[in-house]
Amino acid sequence: MYKTVEQTAAEIGMPEHQVLQYIYAGRIKAVHDGEHFLINSAQFDTYHQQLERIKEEIEIWKNTPIPEDVDIKDED
């Protein structure tokens, strides 16, 4: 499915000008129909999968308790 720059920017959470910069730099593949750039949204499937995996890893990291340090001694 092809989407406009505005739709793609909203979907991936980037400003429109940054999406255009990525298109001009070749980092996002797009088709120019004479007036607008059309972007195939399937190229972002891996991006979304990696983003979800990173979010899950961050949640696991946040929920992991900090182990007690074995060198701490209570000298009261």
Side-chain angles (χ1 to χ4, degrees), residues 6-18:
E6 295 83 15
Q7 292 170 332
T8 302
E11 181 181 331
I12 61 176
M14 279 186 193
E16 293 176 24
H17 67 87
Q18 188 174 6

Side-chain angles (χ1 to χ4, degrees), residues 30-58:
V31 177
H32 193 263
D33 69 353
E35 295 179 17
H36 306 286
F37 282 105
L38 299 175
I39 302 164
N40 188 346
S41 61
Q43 65 182 311
F44 298 106
D45 291 344
T46 304
Y47 170 77
H48 290 300
Q49 291 170 354
Q50 290 176 348
L51 190 62
E52 289 300 316
R53 184 180 55 82
I54 289 170
K55 286 180 182 178
E56 290 172 3
E57 288 179 7
I58 289 172

